Amino acid sequence: MQCSNFFMVIVFVFIGQIDEHEVQVQAYRLDKRDCVVQDSNQNKYIGLKKRSMLNKVPFCSYQGIPYAEPPTGNRRFKDPIAVEPWGEERDARVEGSECMQIEPLFSMGKVIGSEDCLYLNVYTQHRSNASHPPKLKAVMVWIHGGGFVFGSGSGSIYGPDFLIDHNIVLVTFNYRLGAFGFLNLRNKDVPGNAGLKDQVLVLKWVQKNIQSFGGDPNSVTLFGESAGASSIQLHLMSGSSTGLFHRVIMQSGSVYCPWTFVRDPLARANQLANHLKLNSTDPCKLVQVLRNVSSYQLTVTQSELMKTEDMDRGFYFPFIPSTELTGTGTNFITEHPDLLLKSGRLMKVPTIVGVNSREGIMVLLGKNATPEVLETVDKNFQRVVPDILNLTPNSTKFKEVTDKIKRFYFRGGQLSWDSLENYVDLMGDIYFVAPIYRSMMNMIKKSPEPVYCYEFAFEGSRGLAKALTIAALPNVANISGVSHYDDIAYLFPVAIQGWEQEIVSSSMDRKTIDRLTMLWTNFAKTGNPNGSGFSLWDPHHPSRERYLYIGNDLEVRHRLFFQHRMNFWKDIYDNHSNNTEV
């Protein structure tokens, strides 16, 4: 099986699987009524009392709460439907199934999950039998990453232990992935973006029910990483999400990232049909057949669609968000994000947005980088030209841009093993940093609300993606910087068997966990990340450029991250594109 996802190669070097029994925070028995909640529909949930990992703060864990009817059978690919009230007690001590996927990080590349997967988890210090109603707490809703093809809200990875110490309410959840969540036939039956509409339904559930868990529905912060961050920016542009949240934190993702949005979703659907040897491109006939394909076969087949040249240009995932045809049901987005962002048609809310110091390290693992691999990349360098520039391949302008990029990143215009770090920076810039910078600057121009920018550069012992890269490719062990994904373990426990990381109270790892969770939860509570622990981070402004450098210390820098490289990409976008929407 050929896997389209560059994360998939991680399965060959991964050092263990999640053992939920080993990593689960030890529950302790108090009054059962402490963790019993009844929502607005009179549904009752029996949760589990726990203590947080670092500070032993007691909290209640409610897992496996259904927020939508199972999208199975004839509901496959359709917009989600809110779950019907069941009016009886429900055991909320076990998580619901993950959505269908090939999970490369924690399940050794196996097909896992179920189509019945639309569940959420709530973690709160709120006690249901408290003698006096407490003040409602700020709510943080986490949207997981994974390129829209894998991942979940699992407590084994995105557990509450670090954030719950700051007395917020945390919500994590699953949404449909791959073709199940993003097949778009541009008709009323399969209008597209079902996975994003799942997310909207979660936000509506939060508005209706979170007060029962001690959360404030008028103080909701969306935060997410990679595809989760891209999702958040799409929510800012969607009328379906208006009023459902009040602040956002976008980590290492943007609508401009080449793996976030597809221009022609029908072409991807027809590609799937051809791969399954279906003799029709008629959307009505196609969906009838696809609803009868097993969930296993559909999951495996979609991972085989993308070719090497597609992946070289950042098109790793065949089924991702796309524009919907107006009038095909309850639309999430009907215009291209470029147009919406540049015209300022987005929700204006306080925002944190940033990148890691060397996002492209993970790409080395995906390509199984060797001198021979880089030689092949050098021979086919034209593939790195971003599709968003809308340049005609082999045209004079296309060749000029290809040459310009190569000369900028590689002195002498030659890519080789000696210029590996330059290659990592190029890949990180194309897939993550430059698109994030581009969208960030557009948001700053169009929104009167504060936009706080950061670079996460702390190189501690909890960087999983970099550790896996070095394990697979020992000859890159000396590369510096923080890989894509490696900020996550400073917000969440990321508890994986075989990669246990002791957190010493006096260590820089612990200090960084405390700093990052403080900044994030301060922002969730007030819209300002500053507080008693730190008060120097100002929002960025075109006349007052600055960002927070999160390294061994917190340092405010009076410019923007990677300014020289970002100026280069600004020139490319502004002066060398055939796309007036860029």
Side-chain angles (χ1 to χ4, degrees):
M1 178 182 70
Q2 177 188 352
C3 296
S4 66
N5 188 325
F6 71 80
F7 298 113
M8 292 297 180
V9 298
I10 292 173
V11 304
F12 300 116
V13 298
F14 188 61
I15 47 185
Q17 289 179 283
I18 292 173
D19 188 330
E20 295 183 2
H21 298 290
E22 285 192 19
V23 302
Q24 186 177 35
V25 178
Q26 182 64 41
Y28 65 97
R29 294 186 177 278
L30 290 179
D31 190 331
K32 180 182 178 182
R33 292 170 298 173
D34 277 350
C35 293
V36 177
V37 164
Q38 188 166 277
D39 69 14
S40 61
N41 288 323
Q42 309 306 308
N43 301 317
K44 185 178 288 187
Y45 308 97
I46 308 299
L48 191 63
K49 191 83 174 197
K50 295 185 175 183
R51 286 191 185 273
S52 65
M53 182 184 297
L54 299 180
N55 294 320
K56 309 305 178 187
V57 172
F59 68 94
C60 289
S61 166
Y62 302 92
Q63 296 182 318
I65 298 174
Y67 67 86
E69 294 294 330
T72 56
N74 286 333
R75 287 181 176 165
R76 180 187 281 183
F77 311 127
K78 285 182 175 289
D79 292 354
I81 300 172
V83 69
E84 290 290 333
W86 55 86
E88 59 185 29
E89 198 171 273
R90 181 182 181 92
D91 187 345
R93 294 173 293 182
V94 180
E95 293 185 304
S97 175
E98 296 157 310
C99 293
M100 291 298 302
Q101 60 190 275
I102 297 177
E103 214 294 335
L105 287 172
F106 311 124
S107 297
M108 306 302 288
K110 296 177 182 177
V111 175
I112 64 169
S114 165
E115 288 188 75
D116 180 4
C117 64
L118 300 185
Y119 297 92
L120 58 82
N121 311 310
V122 181
Y123 307 100
T124 177
Q125 288 189 33
H126 173 72
R127 291 184 300 140
S128 55
N129 67 342
S131 56
H132 300 287
K135 180 181 177 181
L136 295 178
K137 301 171 178 63
V139 180
M140 300 183 73
V141 179
W142 174 254
I143 305 181
H144 71 78
F148 302 101
V149 297
F150 73 90
S152 74
S154 168
S156 297
I157 305 302
Y158 302 117
D161 294 83
F162 300 167
L163 292 163
I164 204 73
D165 285 346
H166 297 272
N167 202 18
I168 52 87
V169 176
L170 175 66
V171 178
T172 66
F173 64 94
N174 304 333
Y175 56 94
R176 280 174 285 178
L177 305 166
F180 299 96
F182 295 96
L183 181 71
N184 183 349
L185 298 182
R186 301 182 70 78
N187 59 24
K188 290 184 178 181
D189 193 21
V190 187
N193 295 324
L196 292 170
K197 294 169 187 176
D198 294 343
Q199 297 176 12
V200 172
L201 204 55
V202 169
L203 298 178
K204 290 181 176 179
W205 185 96
V206 167
Q207 286 297 308
K208 188 175 182 180
N209 296 297
I210 205 63
Q211 191 165 336
S212 300
F213 297 82
D216 184 353
N218 296 311
S219 182
V220 176
T221 297
L222 295 189
F223 71 130
E225 183 263 352
S226 197
S230 298
S231 296
I232 289 169
Q233 196 164 36
L234 288 167
H235 283 292
L236 289 170
M237 301 174 187
S238 174
S240 300
S241 308
T242 301
L244 298 179
F245 57 92
H246 312 92
R247 289 168 287 281
V248 299
I249 303 173
M250 300 188 298
Q251 303 169 218
S252 301
S254 156
V255 294
Y256 283 127
C257 293
W259 40 264
T260 288
F261 212 82
V262 62
R263 294 177 182 271
D264 188 357
L266 273 179
R268 298 286 176 91
N270 291 333
Q271 193 178 0
L272 177 64
N274 291 336
H275 208 78
L276 289 168
K277 296 182 171 50
L278 308 180
N279 297 319
S280 177
T281 58
D282 177 78
C284 295
K285 294 180 180 178
L286 180 59
V287 73
Q288 290 177 0
V289 176
L290 290 178
R291 285 199 173 115
N292 288 313
V293 173
S294 73
S295 58
Y296 179 92
Q297 184 181 3
L298 190 57
T299 302
V300 170
T301 300
Q302 66 181 324
S303 74
E304 299 171 341
L305 297 183
M306 307 311 287
K307 300 176 182 178
T308 300
E309 51 265 36
D310 296 319
M311 291 185 279
D312 283 345
R313 301 184 69 184
F315 302 147
Y316 288 95
F317 319 118
F319 297 102
I320 56 179
S322 56
T323 53
E324 299 157 47
L325 198 62
T326 302
T328 54
T330 304
N331 295 133
F332 181 86
I333 189 168
T334 57
E335 294 180 84
H336 199 280
D338 290 339
L339 288 172
L340 297 172
L341 188 53
K342 294 203 72 173
S343 62
R345 285 180 286 164
L346 71 162
M347 290 174 59
K348 280 75 171 180
V349 298
T351 298
I352 291 177
V353 58
V355 298
N356 294 346
S357 63
R358 215 155 216 165
E359 298 273 0
I361 288 175
M362 184 177 274
V363 178
L364 294 178
L365 184 59
K367 291 185 178 296
N368 194 23
T370 63
E372 292 73 25
V373 168
L374 293 194
E375 184 179 339
T376 301
V377 173
D378 184 59
K379 291 177 179 177
N380 297 282
F381 196 81
Q382 73 280 359
R383 293 176 183 171
V384 308
V385 176
D387 181 69
I388 196 171
L389 299 176
N390 200 27
L391 299 175
T392 303
N394 299 318
S395 66
T396 300
K397 196 170 186 178
F398 184 90
K399 292 177 181 177
E400 287 176 353
V401 170
T402 301
D403 187 54
K404 191 177 182 73
I405 294 171
K406 197 170 188 180
R407 287 199 317 271
F408 180 81
Y409 282 90
F410 307 102
R411 296 190 180 188
Q414 186 72 32
L415 170 57
S416 68
W417 193 253
D418 291 334
S419 55
L420 180 68
E421 291 197 354
N422 304 72
Y423 174 69
V424 170
D425 288 338
L426 171 62
M427 293 294 97
D429 289 350
I430 288 176
Y431 295 159
F432 304 106
V433 183
I436 291 166
Y437 173 84
R438 184 76 173 169
S439 64
M440 180 180 72
M441 296 308 294
N442 279 326
M443 290 176 68
I444 289 168
K445 290 177 184 176
K446 301 298 181 180
S447 176
E449 295 292 338
V451 177
Y452 297 89
C453 308
Y454 74 89
E455 176 192 345
F456 185 83
F458 174 69
E459 295 186 60
S461 64
R462 296 181 60 78
L464 175 60
K466 187 172 181 179
L468 292 173
T469 301
I470 293 171
L473 306 168
N475 52 354
V476 303
N478 294 326
I479 195 165
S480 63
V482 178
S483 174
H484 188 68
Y485 184 80
D486 279 352
D487 52 337
I488 294 300
Y490 296 92
L491 290 172
F492 301 100
V494 189
I496 305 167
Q497 183 184 1
W499 192 72
E500 294 85 358
Q501 300 290 311
E502 182 182 2
I503 303 173
V504 179
S505 60
S506 60
S507 67
M508 280 303 303
D509 277 339
R510 173 62 186 271
K511 183 175 287 189
T512 303
I513 290 168
D514 292 342
R515 284 172 171 169
L516 198 61
T517 55
M518 174 198 69
L519 293 168
W520 265 222
T521 55
N522 282 349
F523 180 78
K525 294 171 183 177
T526 68
N528 187 331
N530 296 289
S532 58
F534 186 77
S535 59
L536 300 176
W537 191 4
D538 290 332
H540 181 86
H541 188 273
S543 64
R544 192 182 64 252
E545 292 188 336
R546 62 199 59 205
Y547 72 98
L548 183 65
Y549 181 86
I550 305 172
N552 287 344
D553 296 301
L554 299 179
E555 175 189 346
V556 176
R557 295 187 173 181
H558 294 262
R559 57 185 184 279
L560 264 183
F561 46 73
F562 313 121
Q563 190 74 70
H564 180 57
R565 284 162 29 208
M566 295 307 101
N567 286 341
F568 170 79
W569 282 104
K570 183 178 187 304
D571 174 65
I572 292 290
Y573 286 132
D574 291 349
N575 301 314
H576 300 275
S577 169
N578 284 339
N579 188 351
T580 58
E581 299 170 6
V582 173

